[in-house]
Amino acid sequence: MGRKSKQNKTAAPLAAPKGKLHRLTGFIENHRLLVLFACLVIVLLAALISFDPKQSTGGDNGTYISLTRSLLDGKGYRDLYMPGEPYHHQYPFGYPLLLAAIGAFFNQSFLMYNIFSVICLIAGCWVVYGLMHRLSGSEGDWRSVLPVTIVLLTGLNPSLLEFSHLALTEIPYCFFSLTGLLLILRSEREQGLSYVLLILGLIVSAYSYYIRPNGITLLGAIVIYFMFRRNWKAVIITAIGALILLLPWTVYNHQTGSGMGQSVSIFFTKDVYNLDAGRLGFFDMLGRMVENWQIYFGSVLPAMFLPVAGTAISGLAGGGRIAVAVICFGILMTGIVTQWRRQGVLIGLYLTGYILLTLVWHPTVSSDRYLVPVYPLLLYFSLFGVIWLTNQIDVVLTKAVIPVLTMILLIAAAAIILPEVASNMEMQSAYRKGDHLAGYDPAWRSFFTAAEWVKASTTENSIVVSRKPSLFFLSAQRKTFCYPFTANRDSVLKVIDRADYVMVEPVSGTGQKYLIPAIQPLLDKKYKIIYAQGEPPTYVLQIIKENPNAR
């Protein structure tokens, strides 16, 4: 394989391939809708065989469903699961509004909330195809394969498939944000800017912010993009439009007494699971960004690309993790820089802003869920990074990169998806036959069984302390709140004394760290065990009140 000449580098850096790949690209161009339909059917089948009808155990889903119920009950935007039903300030109302529309038609069905995420995945893959087709360049050459490749690698990625059946914001946000990007790009036409598409794209992009606050980076990228294009009229329209569209959440927080919102306060804590760690400083922020950079580029993103090697990649530490992070980050940035000169400016700006925002979030919760919404864009730029690097070696090598990479990544995804099909089908069958806890591990079965016991054995006005309050509320229908994550025993006891019962669950290490040390010395004095079942067991303790009317 000879090294190409400088003349070849300049004249034809990415020449159109001949032979089988050339015929394949021609078929894809001529049968675009058929190929897209086939891809979406494949993704739908994968989503169905991996579908889980139950609720996620993360907890955010419980909060969203509680907010949805509050909207449907006409109570406004309140945390129904908490005593006093206070106004909610952490999550904007975009996603609960979508669930409320579904719940109004399907009697607040938890199952339909999960199915909605599947619909968003399929719709998102359709948008990915349109976005990639617009960005991929010349028709009839090797780039014609890219939209199909990225659709399949997006829809069949195990991380996206997992979130595609959860009542969470990751997949809906992905759909809305990518739709906003596509509309903004399509607003630019040879005959001039389409202001209808521009405004529609801005509205959809702003709604993505109401689904996940990360959408603020998309709105910022749109304004900066038109500054790059020197379209000052579009800059004014998008800047003013963004401010107006963000106003409702700002006004809501101000009128309900939360200022900038609870999420801002949480951001400045060093550790969301340890309040004793204190507040974040400037150098703490830099350290957090470096730590997150290693986590995401040295572990999370490589494991998403090659899920079959996820365990090995996640086990890397020290120099090994840094080396992987440098390689992964370098390939991604190469793709962003090389595509910057084509049509990649807008998505490059958005992805850069999104990554920076992700790097400053809490490392204790860093995981693939924060990359799921931008995975198609990460894949797009990473593929182009690899293509550009191989093109510096030999054009012939570049021609083989797309099919080879596609096969490697698809096999890596299939190696995770296929072995789980039988067990997931068995879980779905058991669920349909009436086992609503089918598929949960023993700790979570213990948790939900105890919550159902609380519902059957306590009065409706009872208040219960639980590590997963919103999930507990969905099962027990009792007001609840979580204990504080602090080693200060008096602080813990003072907070939980407002309740009637305390749940000691085996689903989180914070119970061993904060709750049990606080209450164990007072067993049979202040706290009486009235329930202890499951393997591992969940305990329900009744709080013995000196004054029964005090709370």
Side-chain angles (χ1 to χ4, degrees):
M1 187 182 292
R3 187 173 179 83
K4 58 184 180 174
S5 66
K6 290 184 179 179
Q7 182 178 2
N8 284 338
K9 277 189 178 183
T10 304
L14 290 173
K18 303 298 182 182
K20 293 182 179 180
L21 184 57
H22 183 65
R23 291 194 295 272
L24 175 62
T25 58
F27 176 83
I28 290 175
E29 281 300 315
N30 294 329
H31 303 83
R32 192 181 304 166
L33 291 179
L34 178 63
V35 172
L36 175 59
F37 177 75
C39 291
L40 296 183
V41 169
I42 292 172
V43 173
L44 176 60
L45 291 175
L48 292 177
I49 63 175
S50 63
F51 184 75
D52 190 340
K54 307 185 307 299
Q55 284 302 306
S56 163
T57 56
D60 289 349
N61 53 311
T63 302
Y64 292 127
I65 294 173
S66 170
L67 292 169
T68 299
R69 185 176 297 177
S70 179
L71 291 172
L72 290 173
D73 289 349
K75 295 184 177 181
Y77 203 55
R78 295 176 177 270
D79 285 317
L80 293 188
Y81 67 90
M82 296 182 66
E85 300 182 352
Y87 285 105
H88 182 86
H89 298 104
Q90 184 174 357
Y91 305 129
F93 42 74
Y95 185 57
L97 276 175
L98 292 173
L99 294 188
I102 297 169
F105 283 99
F106 294 99
N107 196 28
Q108 302 190 41
S109 167
F110 293 171
L111 177 63
M112 292 306 301
Y113 296 155
N114 289 5
I115 291 176
F116 174 67
S117 290
V118 176
I119 295 172
C120 285
L121 176 66
I122 304 302
C125 285
W126 179 80
V127 173
V128 166
Y129 185 89
L131 187 61
M132 295 303 129
H133 190 269
R134 184 176 184 85
L135 296 173
S136 59
S138 303
E139 296 186 355
D141 68 3
W142 61 273
R143 294 186 186 90
S144 299
V145 182
L146 273 181
V148 175
T149 298
I150 295 178
V151 165
L152 287 176
L153 293 177
T154 295
L156 299 181
N157 181 268
S159 293
L160 273 78
L161 283 175
E162 178 184 359
F163 282 94
S164 74
H165 55 71
L166 304 180
L168 293 171
T169 60
E170 282 73 15
I171 300 299
Y173 172 82
C174 181
F175 166 67
F176 276 87
S177 58
L178 295 183
T179 300
L181 278 172
L182 182 59
L183 288 169
I184 294 296
L185 288 176
R186 285 186 172 176
S187 70
E188 293 187 292
R189 298 176 173 179
E190 292 183 2
Q191 64 270 31
L193 197 65
S194 169
Y195 291 101
V196 173
L197 288 179
L198 175 65
I199 294 173
L200 183 59
L202 189 64
I203 293 172
V204 174
S205 300
Y207 198 83
S208 74
Y209 164 79
Y210 283 96
I211 296 175
R212 286 179 73 86
N214 308 62
I216 194 70
T217 59
L218 175 54
L219 292 171
I222 293 171
V223 175
I224 297 173
Y225 170 70
F226 284 113
M227 293 175 67
F228 271 97
R229 306 285 284 181
R230 297 182 181 277
N231 189 331
W232 304 114
K233 186 175 181 180
V235 170
I236 294 172
I237 291 173
T238 52
I240 294 176
L243 289 175
I244 293 173
L245 291 169
L246 296 181
L247 198 59
W249 182 240
T250 305
V251 171
Y252 164 83
N253 279 305
H254 178 74
Q255 290 186 344
T256 55
S258 180
M260 295 181 68
Q262 185 179 343
S263 57
V264 176
S265 176
I266 292 175
F267 172 79
F268 286 104
T269 61
K270 285 185 179 180
D271 186 348
V272 291
Y273 296 122
N274 181 11
L275 299 181
D276 299 330
R279 305 287 286 178
L280 200 66
F282 176 74
F283 291 104
D284 297 318
M285 175 67 75
L286 293 180
R288 173 185 285 186
M289 293 181 71
V290 172
E291 183 179 357
N292 270 324
W293 178 82
Q294 292 187 42
I295 293 173
Y296 282 111
F297 292 101
S299 177
V300 175
L301 185 56
M304 290 181 73
F305 285 149
L306 290 170
V308 70
T311 302
I313 294 172
S314 300
L316 292 174
R321 173 171 285 192
I322 292 175
V324 171
V326 169
I327 294 171
C328 189
F329 183 73
I331 290 173
L332 177 66
M333 292 308 299
T334 298
I336 291 177
V337 171
T338 56
Q339 287 303 292
W340 195 272
R341 289 169 291 185
R342 291 176 57 81
Q343 297 189 63
V345 178
L346 176 57
I347 62 173
L349 286 168
Y350 166 52
L351 186 59
T352 301
Y354 186 98
I355 290 173
L356 287 173
L357 186 61
T358 302
L359 292 182
V360 298
W361 194 241
H362 299 275
T364 51
V365 296
S366 296
S367 68
D368 59 346
R369 68 177 298 186
Y370 294 101
L371 297 186
V372 161
V374 292
Y375 182 76
L377 307 184
L378 292 167
L379 185 61
Y380 168 78
F381 283 120
S382 296
L383 282 175
F384 269 103
V386 172
I387 288 167
W388 186 88
L389 291 171
T390 56
N391 189 55
Q392 307 313 299
I393 302 172
D394 199 295
V395 172
V396 177
L397 178 61
T398 301
K399 295 175 184 178
V401 163
I402 294 177
V404 170
L405 275 180
T406 300
M407 290 306 299
I408 291 174
L409 297 182
L410 284 176
I411 291 171
I416 296 296
I417 298 169
L418 294 179
E420 297 179 355
V421 171
S423 61
N424 203 66
M425 292 291 99
E426 184 179 345
M427 179 274 295
Q428 291 183 13
S429 176
Y431 183 87
R432 289 194 298 269
K433 292 177 181 177
D435 182 3
H436 63 286
L437 300 180
Y440 282 130
D441 64 36
W444 280 105
R445 290 186 72 97
S446 176
F447 171 89
F448 286 114
T449 301
E452 291 167 0
W453 180 88
V454 169
K455 180 180 180 180
S457 306
T458 63
T459 59
E460 290 185 1
N461 63 343
S462 298
I463 299 175
V464 184
V465 174
S466 173
R467 171 62 182 85
K468 294 288 185 177
S470 59
L471 290 178
F472 173 81
F473 171 74
L474 295 184
S475 293
Q477 298 297 303
R478 298 292 182 267
K479 301 300 184 186
T480 175
F481 60 88
C482 187
Y483 48 85
F485 300 149
T486 174
N488 186 318
R489 182 168 172 263
D490 290 337
S491 296
V492 175
L493 293 175
K494 182 178 180 181
V495 170
I496 66 177
D497 193 52
R498 301 199 301 265
D500 302 299
Y501 303 93
V502 178
M503 287 258 293
V504 182
E505 310 102 326
V507 298
S508 173
T510 58
Q512 293 282 344
K513 188 174 182 180
Y514 303 120
L515 181 61
I516 293 177
I519 64 177
Q520 194 163 31
L522 296 175
L523 282 179
D524 296 327
K525 299 176 183 177
K526 179 74 173 177
Y527 305 97
K528 177 184 177 182
I529 298 175
I530 59 174
Y531 175 94
Q533 294 183 26
E535 187 57 44
T538 294
Y539 299 90
V540 179
L541 284 65
Q542 184 175 13
I543 301 177
I544 303 172
K545 304 279 189 181
E546 293 182 6
N547 179 2
N549 295 321
R551 248 183 205 164

